[in-house]
Amino acid sequence: MRIRQARPDDASAVADVHVRSWQAAFAGLVPQPYLDTMDPGREEPVWKALIAEAAWPSAGVLVAESDARIVGFTGFGPSQEAPSIAEIGTLYALPEVWSTGIGKQLMLGALKTLDQAHYTHATLWVLEANERARRFYEAAGWSPDGTSVTDTTGGACLNKLRYRSARGVARSAGAGRATPEVPV
């Protein structure tokens, strides 16, 4: 498995991972009609633009390749809150590779890249009811910070929790943990 910076020609594969992972991970959480109408073809132009507009290392998309195909990705950039805070906006993998370490390697690659951009903190949002994702983030050292919002994806009211992780100087001064090196 290899983690690397995404290229615009990866957009189709990223869109496929996005849709397939949503349809599996959010079944029972997001209304099924919404999941059923998701289409990689509609998502591809969005991903192509996001990948092309990357401002590395402050913002971008990393992909995980296994057996010469993209099996996961993560996207990150500055948060709306403050320019010194990063946000991991996406971290998805194909359902058939869940629990193989690909998500962990994508997270480590994203955090290493965010540290290169000198962010002091990083945040991400997760559905409160998505216990699998919450366990994953907590095992990776993320903690809920007490902030929540209501999302209306697919017409349902879904509670999202914000998780936070100290980065760079803030991490060194407080937690004293180093981020493992991951080739990117």
Side-chain angles (χ1 to χ4, degrees):
M1 198 245 328
R2 178 172 85 121
I3 305 293
R4 64 168 174 81
Q5 186 176 352
R7 301 180 300 260
D9 63 341
D10 295 326
S12 176
V14 168
D16 185 59
V17 171
H18 181 191
V19 168
R20 289 184 54 206
S21 65
W22 261 66
Q23 290 172 328
F26 298 136
L29 300 176
V30 172
Q32 195 61 44
Y34 179 86
L35 296 174
D36 291 342
T37 60
M38 290 183 75
D39 176 13
R42 282 196 314 266
E43 299 293 329
E44 182 179 352
V46 173
W47 284 109
K48 185 169 266 194
L50 285 170
I51 293 167
E53 295 166 4
W56 204 261
S58 298
V61 177
L62 291 173
V63 294
E65 285 182 318
S66 181
D67 299 323
R69 70 181 184 123
I70 292 173
V71 296
F73 73 95
T74 185
F76 51 86
S79 85
Q80 301 277 331
E81 296 175 63
S84 63
I85 298 174
E87 183 171 315
I88 294 181
T90 55
L91 195 151
Y92 299 115
L94 293 173
E96 58 266 27
V97 300
W98 289 354
S99 299
T100 64
I102 287 174
K104 182 178 180 178
Q105 293 303 309
L106 282 165
M107 176 64 75
L108 291 172
L111 293 176
K112 178 183 176 195
T113 305
L114 295 175
D115 287 347
Q116 292 169 358
H118 306 293
Y119 285 110
T120 60
H121 289 85
T123 60
L124 58 82
W125 292 91
V126 61
L127 289 179
E128 182 175 21
N130 190 344
E131 293 177 18
R132 178 186 181 94
R134 292 180 63 194
R135 283 191 308 270
F136 171 82
Y137 295 129
E138 289 167 12
W142 293 77
S143 302
D145 70 3
T147 302
S148 65
V149 296
T150 301
D151 184 307
T152 57
T153 298
C157 289
L158 308 166
N159 197 39
K160 289 169 56 172
L161 305 175
R162 185 173 63 193
Y163 276 57
R164 184 174 296 271
S165 172
R167 308 299 334 134
V169 174
R171 184 186 68 237
S172 298
R177 294 183 316 166
T179 301
E181 291 295 312
V182 177
V184 178

